[in-house]
Amino acid sequence: MNPNLHGSAWSGFYKKTLKERQNQLKITFPDLFDPPSPATSIAPSVSPVSSVYSTPLTSICSSPISREYSEENKSNDTLNGINNEQFNYLIKKLESLNIDQDPFPIKGLDEHIADKMIENCVGTIGLPVGLALNFIINEKPIIIPMAVEEPSVIAAVSGAAKTISSYKGFTAVAPERNSIIAQVVLLDIPQNSLNLAVNKFCANMVKRGGGVFDMSVRRISRTNNRNKKHHPISSENFREWLVVHLHIDVCDAMGANCASTVAEGVAPHLSELTGGRIGLRILSNLNVERMTRASFRIPLSLLSYKSYTGKEVAARIIEAYEWAEIDHYRAITHNKGIMNGIDSVALAAGQDWRAIEASAHAWACDGVRGDYSQSNNYRPLTTYWIEKDDQLADCRKEGDDCLMFCGELELPITVGTAGGVINTNPVYLYNMGIMGNPNAKELSMIMVCIGLAQNFAALRALATEGIQRGHMKLHATNIAFAALRCYEDETNSSRPSHDIMSVARRMIEKGSITLTTAKELIEESLPKSQISQCTHM
Ligand code: MEV
């Protein structure tokens, strides 16, 4: 398929109004957003798990506009994809759209469902959901929803993806099996022989083709622990502990519940076999068997950015990466930027982002990676390098023209597309639908690609013009909006006639983007009575 075609449907998306974007989404994903309306049921009419990973472009082909085009032009192209002419027709139609029917369904969790999900529930919290554009992953175009409160994250990642997809896009791989580890610790061990049948504790998983497929044992000496403050209250404690890992194939589930059920179920048998006392029984959130890797390669010549040549951009990104390699103060910020992308998709797709965060940061430590040569450093999760491309060299290209800039992100990431909370919040299902209903392996690849793109975007901006210019515009808009809301709330009347954008622009011009400045600017033209009412800023 032609990636440029995919891109052009969404070009200028950021300039559209919220309503126009929602309309475009309805047209692009008719099966997801058309009736039967999810307003009457909890979930949209899509299955969260599909064996067919249908890309958004396929959805455009089957959209009403594409069908209309085919009928008018007696073409059956929608069966095989769409051509340029058809695509232009689609774009024109999108531009002239004025659909204003039902309220758009992406608007958060119903509080009655929330009340069933957690204890002491008092309400819900909303977060903006936006679309990351321009991604081509393993040759397929994909639109990726992200839930995030931070300005610039989505613009940055879409910009990075545009550069990377201008060549061949991202390549991603994930392991065939989606596994998780259940840990049982046996204390006070007199012996260590083990042999057991554990699959009866995850019979459903076995029916779906998964189940416990391996077991490993780690002996841990209690003397290695770092609890030096503790005054022992019993002298009888044995000094050796046995940690049993049960490796479970959890199919498309995240697997936390399954792992904990297996651990609790099997613990008495392990205790009987080993003679050890049962300690904690719980999953491990470090799951190195679910290692997912995303990478890209792009000729240096395609990397030019703002006033910088491709070679300059490449050299500066590598410097930035190398700084993170040798300074853990920088590495943590570098990795935070990666998690901006990964967490936003995790939030949009109903994943356990705390588990994903914990495992990513653990993986950043040499000790966990099994590399002690760097005295247990905390390292950046991405890697960048420049390499010579033999094919380009064979084509008689010389010097920098043979060079490729390469980026890679590899980390263990545990996600699920079956079970969990995905079915309780319809927005998760819509977001999964926008991504083409990926299975767990595909979702992990999408998330690692977005982490890599987010980091590439941050390093490219930081190493060239800095991030504040772009960031400040959005930040100023947010501050202006917050300031104007203050007046609106207090007076309970409609927003003052000030344009949010003009307050934002004037704050940027003044070089002071604060609520106080926004308030001063607004009050310059407000009647006195209204000014005195806004006191809580
Ligand atoms: C901000 O949320 C993320 C960055 O600080 C990441 C980085 O410094 O690499 C821009």
Side-chain angles (χ1 to χ4, degrees), residues 136-139 163-171 297-298 391:
I136 308 275
I137 301 178
N138 294 343
E139 295 178 18
T163 303
I164 291 163
S165 299
S166 72
Y167 188 56
K168 291 187 177 169
F170 297 84
T171 304
R297 292 173 90 240
I298 182 166
Q391 260 181 343

Side-chain angles (χ1 to χ4, degrees), residues 150 330 333-334 336-337 340 458-459 462 467:
E150 187 175 327
R330 172 58 204 155
T333 320
H334 177 108
K336 187 270 181 184
N340 272 347
L459 297 191
L462 289 166
I467 57 165

Side-chain angles (χ1 to χ4, degrees), residues 177-180 199 211-215 246-249 289:
R177 201 197 295 269
N178 289 318
S179 67
I180 197 159
N199 269 323
V212 179
F213 62 90
D214 201 3
M215 188 174 65
L246 302 142
H247 302 256
I248 313 165
D249 181 336
E289 283 162 4

Side-chain angles (χ1 to χ4, degrees), residues 223-428:
T223 48
N224 287 343
N225 90 72
R226 286 184 283 184
N227 189 359
K228 302 296 177 225
K229 289 183 181 165
H230 171 62
H231 175 74
I233 48 175
S234 157
S235 56
E236 286 179 45
N237 272 352
F238 286 74
R239 309 310 295 174
E240 180 161 56
W241 293 347
L242 197 67
V243 181
V244 180
H245 283 189
L246 302 142
H247 302 256
I248 313 165
D249 181 336
V250 288
C251 304
D252 276 316
M254 187 268 191
N257 270 333
C258 174
S260 299
T261 307
V262 167
E264 289 191 4
V266 83
H269 300 264
L270 292 171
S271 169
E272 208 176 299
L273 284 161
T274 60
R277 177 166 62 91
I278 298 172
L280 268 57
R281 298 140 294 163
I282 187 72
L283 82 155
S284 170
N285 283 123
L286 178 63
N287 196 356
V288 295
E289 283 162 4
R290 279 218 217 175
M291 196 67 70
T292 300
R293 189 172 69 240
S295 59
F296 68 83
R297 292 173 90 240
I298 182 166
L300 250 49
S301 55
L302 293 182
L303 268 191
S304 59
Y305 181 68
K306 310 277 173 184
S307 59
Y308 298 85
T309 64
K311 189 177 174 182
E312 281 166 341
V313 172
R316 282 164 179 250
I317 292 179
I318 292 202
E319 270 169 9
Y321 152 64
E322 287 180 357
W323 176 27
E325 274 288 355
I326 50 181
D327 177 358
H328 53 265
Y329 279 89
R330 172 58 204 155
I332 193 91
T333 320
H334 177 108
N335 289 345
K336 187 270 181 184
I338 295 171
M339 301 316 288
N340 272 347
I342 294 181
D343 286 346
S344 305
V345 182
L347 267 168
Q351 302 300 312
D352 181 345
W353 75 95
R354 287 87 56 208
I356 293 168
E357 275 277 337
S359 124
H361 292 293
W363 190 244
C365 300
D366 287 324
V368 175
R369 290 193 207 191
D371 172 6
Y372 296 95
S373 62
Q374 305 281 327
S375 63
N376 209 15
N377 260 344
Y378 178 94
R379 307 252 301 269
L381 288 162
T382 47
T383 315
Y384 294 97
W385 69 99
I386 291 174
E387 67 186 22
K388 196 168 163 191
D389 186 275
D390 292 339
Q391 260 181 343
L392 288 177
D394 285 350
C395 301
R396 295 213 200 93
K397 299 237 186 231
E398 284 173 3
D400 296 347
D401 288 342
C402 303
L403 298 180
M404 286 281 186
F405 179 78
C406 308
E408 186 176 277
L409 170 61
E410 185 178 47
L411 82 171
I413 182 165
T414 309
V415 297
T417 52
V421 296
I422 290 177
N423 287 304
T424 53
N425 188 337
V427 178
Y428 297 148

